[in-house]
């Protein structure tokens, strides 16, 4: 049985997410933050690493949302809920949350009650983990009901058990690694690894020949080790405490990445320009010929100035923008000539 799905993505991750989704079935982009996918296996959706969340979707020719309460529509929604319930391992939901314009209207409240009843769970408008979205379809004479297939978004990695401040979004990290094109023959260095998201995400794709993460904070490295154990992926990562600008490291890295502090949770804007320049210089010292470096930063103006004045031999390949909840980090993809 094929399922009609809508995949939510972050703006900037769409191309990478589309390539990934096409491995499961016919997929297409319908905007910078949304894909459609036709797939047979709901269980396989949990392998998607560049997608924020997946929704099983029903589109109905209708002029008003009250038509979603008709018996034939309710039966089809019940079938979708049964398919979601049959996933393996079982996805346990505890409450239904309706997200819709006019969610407090009588028709929407009746719809929420009907969906909760069919799912066998109570309504929970604030914390419900079975998310039901209701919206107008792409044409004016259709309505859509979208039911999230998992209690937590796919972007919420099960292994990120430590709430470490400033950790990079996991779907952004996966997309950055795609753009860096890390392979099994590469030596990969994260110059400011924090709680380990980049390196652990890479193990879910392919283990590099060498993986090293460096951070100043012992607490960050403790979190990284905890996360690596929870992820249960094959591949060794060497976690090193210290300032990457000074700590002794054997060079020859073919792929390097950094998400340096940018002044909200860590670091200070006033010193970040020097930090960026220092990171580029240290990366140049540790890089193999023809290496690539990815710098994910919010300090766009300062990064441009560093590349103009203190690039340490790095040459820009491209800039890639991401958009996430009011933040607009940018990946600067650089190479050694």
């Amino acid at each position: 049985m094929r399922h009609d799905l809508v995949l939510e993505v972050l703006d900037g991750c769409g191309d990478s997410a589309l390539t990934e989704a096409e491995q499961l079935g016919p997929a297409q982009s319908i905007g910078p933050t949304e894909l459609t996918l036709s797939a047979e296996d709901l269980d396989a959706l949990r392998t998607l690493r560049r997608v924020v969340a997946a929704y099983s979707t029903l589109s109905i020719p209708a002029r008003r949302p009250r038509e979603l309460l008709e018996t034939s529509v309710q039966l089809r929604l019940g079938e979708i809920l049964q398919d979601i319930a049959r996933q393996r391992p079982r996805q346990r939901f505890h409450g239904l949350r309706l997200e819709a314009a006019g969610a407090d209207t009588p028709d929407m409240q009746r719809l929420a009650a009907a969906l909760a009843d069919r799912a066998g769970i109570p309504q929970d408008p604030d914390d419900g983990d079975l998310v039901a979205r209701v919206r107008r379809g792409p044409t004016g004479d259709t309505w859509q009901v979208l039911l999230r297939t998992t209690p937590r978004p796919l972007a919420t990695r099960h292994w990120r058990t430590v709430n470490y401040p400033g950790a990079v979004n996991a779907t952004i990290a996966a997309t950055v690694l795609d753009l860096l094109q890390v392979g099994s023959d590469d030596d990969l260095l994260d110059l400011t690894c924090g709680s380990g998201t980049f390196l652990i995400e890479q193990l879910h794709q392919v283990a590099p020949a060498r993986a090293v993460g460096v951070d100043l904070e012992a607490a960050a490295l403790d979190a990284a080790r905890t996360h690596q154990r929870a992820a249960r992926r094959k591949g060794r990562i060497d976690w090193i405490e210290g300032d990457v600008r000074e700590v002794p490291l054997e060079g020859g890295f073919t792929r390097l990445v950094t998400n340096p502090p940018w002044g909200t949770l860590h670091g200070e804007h006033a010193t970040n320009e020097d930090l960026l320049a220092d990171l580029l210089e240290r990366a140049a010292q540790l890089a193999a010929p023809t290496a690539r470096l990815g710098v994910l930063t919010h300090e766009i103006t300062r990064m441009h100035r560093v590349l103009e004045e203190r690039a340490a031999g790095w040459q820009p390949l491209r800039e890639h923008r991401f958009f996430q909840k009011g933040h607009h980090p940018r990946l600067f993809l650089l190479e050694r000539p």
Side-chain angles (χ1 to χ4, degrees), residues 4-165:
D4 294 326
L5 301 154
V6 167
L7 307 180
E8 178 187 351
V9 299
L10 290 179
D11 195 346
C13 299
D15 289 344
S16 192
L18 179 61
T19 299
E20 182 181 40
E22 287 174 335
Q23 299 174 25
L24 303 183
Q28 68 178 62
S29 172
I30 57 175
T33 62
E34 202 166 279
L35 312 174
T36 59
L37 169 66
S38 177
E40 293 184 358
D41 186 2
L42 286 184
D43 296 349
L45 296 177
R46 294 191 296 281
T47 66
L48 296 173
R49 311 201 62 77
R50 291 118 182 122
V51 170
V52 173
Y55 294 83
S56 195
T57 306
L58 179 64
S59 296
I60 296 296
R63 293 184 178 181
R64 301 174 183 85
R66 72 179 57 177
E67 296 176 55
L68 299 172
L69 292 163
E70 293 180 357
T71 301
S72 60
V73 177
Q74 288 295 305
L75 289 173
R76 293 171 65 185
L77 289 170
E79 291 172 355
I80 291 175
L81 288 167
Q82 289 175 5
D83 290 337
I84 291 174
R86 280 194 288 263
Q87 293 179 91
R88 292 291 181 270
R90 184 179 177 185
Q91 305 298 293
R92 296 183 180 277
F93 298 92
H94 303 287
L96 183 130
R97 181 170 85 245
L98 181 69
E99 296 181 351
D104 294 331
T105 63
D107 285 340
M108 287 296 185
Q109 286 296 298
R110 289 172 61 200
L111 177 59
L115 288 170
D117 183 62
R118 288 187 177 276
I121 55 177
Q123 293 188 63
D124 188 344
D126 298 320
D127 299 316
D129 52 6
L130 177 53
V131 177
R133 292 183 175 177
V134 181
R135 67 185 188 184
R136 288 191 179 275
T139 61
D141 57 352
T142 61
W143 281 81
Q144 291 181 324
V145 180
L146 292 76
L147 298 168
R148 196 169 73 190
T149 61
T150 53
R152 299 195 305 172
L154 298 175
T156 306
R157 306 298 200 236
H158 72 88
W159 47 264
R160 293 221 305 198
T161 57
V162 180
N163 186 19
Y164 189 77

Side-chain angles (χ1 to χ4, degrees), residues 270-283:
T271 59
N272 277 350
E273 187 168 327
D274 287 337
L275 174 60
L276 288 167
D278 290 347
L279 289 172
L280 262 62
E281 182 177 356
R282 183 58 169 152

Side-chain angles (χ1 to χ4, degrees), residues 27 64 121 204 206 222 298:
R64 301 174 183 85
I121 55 177
H204 284 81
V206 59
D222 287 343
H298 295 71

Side-chain angles (χ1 to χ4, degrees), residues 3 27 31 33 45 66 122 140 186 197 220 234 253 259 275 281 308 315:
H3 304 274
T33 62
L45 296 177
R66 72 179 57 177
D186 284 309
T197 300
K234 292 183 179 179
F253 290 97
N259 176 34
L275 174 60
E281 182 177 356
E308 291 174 1
Q315 294 183 351

